[in-house]
Amino acid sequence: MPQLTYREAIRVGLEEALAANPETVIMGEDVGAYGGSYAVTKGFLEQYGEERIIDTPISESGFVGAGIGAAIAGMRPIVEIMTINFSLLAMDQIVNLAAKARYMSGGQMTVPLVIRTVSGGGNMLAATHSQSLEAWYARVPGIKVVTPSNPADALGLFRSAMADPNPVMYVEHSLLYGSRAEVPDEPYTVPIGSASVARPGTDVSIIAYLRMTPVALSAADILEAEGISAEVIDLRSLLPLDSGTIIDSVNRTNRAVVVEETWEFGGFAGEVIAQINERAFDSLDAPVLRVAGVNVPTPYSRPLELLTIPTAEAVADKVRSLFQA
Amino acid sequence: MSTQTDLTIPRAELLTLLRSMKLIRRFEERSAEHYARGNIGGFLHLYIGEEAVAVGVISLLREDDRIVTHYRDHGHALARGLDTAACMAELFGKATGVSGGKGGSMHFFDVSRGFMGGHAIVGGQMPLAVGLAFANRYRGQDSLVVCFLGDGAVNEGEFHESMNLASLWQLPVLFLLENNGFGMGTRVERASAQPVIHRLADRHNIRSRRVDNGQDVFDVREATQTAIDYIREGNGPYFLEIMTYRFRGHSMADPLEYRQQHEVEPWLDLDPIRLLTARLHESGLATPDEIDTIDADVEDEVNAAIRFALESPFPSPDELYTDVYA
């Protein structure tokens, strides 16, 4: 199996998509001549030409809507929103059009569109450029939201997103692009709506997604040294959510901590905890807890910024608290 | 202000134009009645007074052209030939409606006729039109997209983003502005620093024109044909501003306190249906009997539509969960 970075895995997926369908185009800000803000589409313009690798003006609502229209017309476009912060300018098109076109037309329209975007903080970019907003979109029926945490899932989920007839928000994390891991050689996909057991364990379930999955895995390492066997569940998709895998895990471990990067208040962890309470309450030996981002606009200054994002130590601490008598 | 009847249009087609306008008028008068009876809920935005625009523009389109419009969409739908009964059933929230009862008045769809929706977020339909036109250009097709919008849409960011993209990419879109003088209850002059709206197209290097009398179906058609020819020749988008007037309120809930009757009345004299009927009489192209026959025929069609809507079933509860995803 080859070792690929997260960035390379996404590139493989994009190149497969461009090869598979002549009506697949990539459009977004600086995806062409610049090579992509995170260099994911570097070299594509030279290889595929400006008909298919389309630099757009800075008009998020305009070009996301154009992608939706092209998809409704039957093309298979990929739209890149440079970061999820800028998706707010396209939220009307995503929420009011992409998510509703099929339902509101009584099934006459489909929107086979993949929207790639980048989430997360940790780059000293301050409050407007450090948000994790994917959970907002995960509340909207009619779209799907996937959040790969490693190269293999990145490629497998990208393939599924391209094969899906619905609008899919494919959310990447800026701090994961350089992470490297084995990616299977043979054709495979990761189905949308399937969580994974990223690390098996017996004493507690740590449920995470996107960059919090590696954080949770580090916490599990710390805890193992202390004799606590933590199972790490990587959600991989937020919508649809694979609650079955969560519930199965909690039924075995009887304890759970949910980790996410975004603000704790009203976050996605709250939804996961509600589902555990509804479906696995009798299995619980302790309340389900969460570790999430601090409820403040992200500050620029490094020492302050670091306080806002969950760390492995903070996750380990929260897990330890479940075992104190 | 009035032009001559366009004698290049075959007589049968002139009668079709008249019939189409009358159908829209009666469809809406009767839907207002059923709104008052409680058979129709939500918002009901009537197009009454503006019929010459939808009929004039849409009568010149090809089958493979597409239409994207706003929430005041009944006129465009009927002009495009959507099934009258299915449109009425949609207003009644029935399973047999054009959108299966899930869209309602503001969200008519019939993809088989290239009718890509009534869209109810002001300006939100414009990027969709750009995307559909992008696909046309990408595929080398010479079909075009007509994007209807109201004067209220022109101060939205999506208006300018879409105009710029369509021009930058030279897309086959006809932006068709129906300027009825008001965005809900706010006059154009109170909302737009540039009230001669078509001039905004200059900013995006889009050719534009204003039709001063959008109540005259021949004026509408003449300008639209020019725009269509320009677009089909591969020159990119075109922006047509058509001056018209909505005879009724913004929606059925509108108390109409923002405009005076004395300013409405001159417009009522420019009733597009009356204008066309008079022209047909004057030029001897239709006898009173023929007009009566059209009226009776339209009445029958609308009555049948109401009957169909009343008798149709509501969507079954399991329809709640269908078509959320493909």
Side-chain angles (χ1 to χ4, degrees):
Chain A
M1 283 199 289
Q3 294 262 332
L4 292 183
T5 63
Y6 187 83
R7 175 187 288 109
E8 288 163 347
I10 297 166
R11 278 178 68 89
V12 170
L14 289 167
E15 296 204 69
E16 285 177 0
L18 287 163
N21 188 340
E23 293 209 325
T24 290
V25 297
I26 297 176
M27 58 169 85
E29 291 152 357
D30 282 314
V31 296
Y34 188 95
S37 181
Y38 291 93
V40 175
T41 53
K42 196 168 172 22
F44 279 21
L45 178 63
E46 293 73 15
Q47 197 177 339
Y48 299 99
E50 62 182 13
E51 286 297 305
R52 301 184 72 193
I53 309 299
I54 302 163
D55 280 323
T56 66
I58 302 171
S59 302
E60 286 82 4
S61 193
F63 72 75
V64 170
I68 294 167
I72 287 173
M75 292 183 64
R76 203 70 184 73
I78 300 163
V79 168
E80 177 179 320
I81 302 175
M82 192 181 282
T83 84
I84 203 163
N85 307 286
F86 313 156
S87 77
L88 299 182
L89 291 148
M91 207 161 187
D92 170 49
Q93 291 297 312
I94 298 169
V95 175
N96 280 321
L97 184 58
K100 295 175 175 57
R102 183 171 179 84
Y103 193 79
M104 223 161 53
S105 67
Q108 295 180 69
M109 284 182 174
T110 54
V111 188
L113 175 68
V114 173
I115 300 174
R116 285 184 50 229
T117 190
V118 184
S119 188
N123 292 303
M124 293 183 72
L125 296 174
T128 61
H129 279 56
S130 304
Q131 301 169 99
S132 299
L133 304 176
E134 56 279 355
W136 286 6
Y137 293 100
R139 301 200 64 244
V140 182
I143 55 177
K144 298 186 177 182
V145 180
V146 301
T147 51
S149 72
N150 61 64
D153 286 349
L155 179 55
L157 279 169
F158 191 81
R159 287 172 173 155
S160 294
M162 287 306 297
D164 200 290
N166 298 289
V168 179
M169 297 274 290
Y170 181 93
V171 183
E172 303 159 21
H173 196 293
S174 61
L175 295 181
L176 291 174
Y177 284 122
S179 65
R180 185 178 291 276
E182 286 187 344
V183 173
D185 246 341
E186 71 275 12
Y188 72 98
T189 59
V190 172
I192 296 176
S194 80
S196 70
V197 179
R199 172 191 175 119
T202 55
D203 301 333
V204 60
S205 303
I206 306 177
I207 299 152
Y209 66 91
L210 212 57
R211 198 180 78 79
M212 290 300 104
T213 299
V215 167
L217 289 167
S218 299
D221 284 341
I222 296 169
L223 292 162
E224 187 179 34
E226 300 167 15
I228 296 173
S229 166
E231 176 151 298
V232 175
I233 303 295
D234 182 356
L235 295 179
R236 303 198 293 193
S237 300
L238 301 189
L239 183 66
L241 177 67
D242 179 4
S243 9
T245 296
I246 300 169
I247 301 303
D248 286 350
S249 177
V250 174
N251 280 338
R252 281 183 283 103
T253 62
N254 313 116
R255 291 177 178 84
V257 169
V258 188
V259 189
E260 69 177 330
E261 184 170 332
T262 191
W263 303 297
E264 182 178 75
F265 186 88
F268 197 75
E271 172 65 26
V272 173
I273 292 168
Q275 296 212 16
I276 294 170
N277 280 333
E278 285 164 1
R279 297 176 58 190
F281 186 78
D282 291 342
S283 301
L284 292 174
D285 288 343
V288 183
L289 301 179
R290 58 186 161 169
V291 183
V294 175
N295 295 321
V296 296
T298 306
Y300 163 73
S301 180
R302 190 63 171 164
L304 289 183
E305 181 190 36
L306 288 175
L307 294 173
T308 66
I309 304 171
T311 61
E313 197 46 58
V315 174
D317 263 351
K318 192 69 81 169
V319 169
R320 287 182 197 112
S321 75
L322 294 178
F323 292 89
Q324 282 155 9
Chain B
M1 173 166 263
S2 72
T3 58
Q4 296 301 306
T5 306
D6 184 346
L7 294 170
T8 65
I9 305 174
R11 198 180 82 97
E13 198 179 330
L14 290 171
L15 296 180
T16 303
L17 294 175
L18 181 67
R19 187 187 189 284
S20 185
M21 286 161 63
K22 282 176 173 283
L23 176 66
I24 295 168
R25 178 70 56 91
R26 280 308 283 156
F27 178 94
E28 293 209 310
E29 287 171 347
R30 298 297 302 280
S31 56
E33 182 188 316
H34 282 272
Y35 187 85
R37 287 194 204 172
N39 288 326
I40 298 171
F43 290 144
L44 188 71
H45 304 95
L46 299 181
Y47 191 69
I48 289 174
E50 306 183 31
E51 293 92 339
V53 185
V55 170
V57 172
I58 292 171
S59 62
L60 293 169
L61 299 182
R62 296 194 323 218
E63 264 183 38
D64 61 344
D65 293 331
R66 286 182 160 131
I67 296 168
V68 175
T69 187
H70 46 74
Y71 53 81
R72 195 178 304 283
D73 61 355
H74 311 156
H76 309 119
L78 293 170
R80 186 57 169 179
L82 269 67
D83 184 71
T84 307
C87 287
M88 190 64 83
E90 187 62 34
L91 297 183
F92 280 58
K94 298 300 182 75
T96 53
V98 284
S99 308
K102 288 177 172 171
S105 165
M106 300 189 285
H107 310 110
F108 280 9
F109 290 87
D110 188 345
V111 171
S112 72
R113 287 180 175 78
F115 193 81
M116 311 306 280
H119 296 269
I121 304 295
V122 173
Q125 77 276 25
M126 297 185 70
L128 168 61
V130 168
L132 294 169
F134 173 86
N136 287 350
R137 203 210 58 180
Y138 190 83
R139 291 164 167 166
Q141 298 164 341
D142 75 338
S143 51
L144 55 83
V145 180
V146 179
C147 179
F148 287 94
L149 60 144
D151 52 83
V154 308
N155 300 308
E156 289 281 9
E158 285 170 329
F159 172 85
H160 293 281
E161 292 188 20
S162 301
M163 298 271 281
N164 180 57
L165 281 176
S167 183
L168 189 67
W169 294 343
Q170 289 290 286
L171 301 179
V173 188
L174 171 55
F175 293 109
L176 203 297
L177 176 80
E178 298 175 309
N179 185 341
N180 65 17
F182 294 90
M184 204 162 154
T186 302
R187 247 172 242 284
V188 167
E189 294 74 14
R190 293 179 59 227
S192 287
Q194 172 51 279
V196 184
I197 292 171
H198 77 102
R199 289 190 187 150
L200 294 172
D202 294 347
R203 151 74 174 79
H204 302 288
N205 277 331
I206 295 178
R207 184 170 295 193
S208 73
R209 179 173 162 191
R210 178 182 252 191
V211 177
D212 290 320
N213 184 8
Q215 307 306 90
D216 183 328
V217 73
F218 300 116
D219 280 10
V220 172
R221 278 174 56 107
E222 185 273 318
T224 303
Q225 191 61 60
T226 304
I228 288 175
D229 292 344
Y230 176 88
I231 295 166
R232 284 214 213 281
E233 282 160 15
N235 296 309
Y238 195 103
F239 189 95
L240 205 51
E241 175 180 18
I242 300 189
M243 307 305 289
T244 184
Y245 205 75
R246 102 172 118 63
F247 289 3
R248 302 289 185 94
H250 167 71
S251 74
M252 294 297 288
D254 182 351
L256 277 173
E257 285 172 355
Y258 50 84
R259 67 187 194 191
Q260 304 295 320
Q261 193 56 27
H262 66 79
E263 69 175 275
V264 178
E265 268 154 17
W267 281 99
L268 297 180
D269 290 339
L270 291 174
D271 183 320
I273 295 175
R274 222 182 318 147
L275 281 180
L276 178 57
T277 308
R279 297 283 178 66
L280 294 178
H281 279 318
E282 285 161 17
S283 40
L285 287 165
T287 64
D289 279 355
E290 282 175 315
I291 306 283
D292 288 348
T293 305
I294 289 174
D295 286 339
D297 191 39
V298 162
E299 203 62 30
D300 286 350
E301 183 169 340
V302 174
N303 279 331
I306 290 168
R307 215 164 31 245
F308 177 79
L310 283 168
E311 290 166 3
S312 287
F314 284 105
S316 64
D318 53 297
E319 281 298 313
L320 186 59
Y321 296 103
T322 60
D323 294 321
V324 178
Y325 293 101

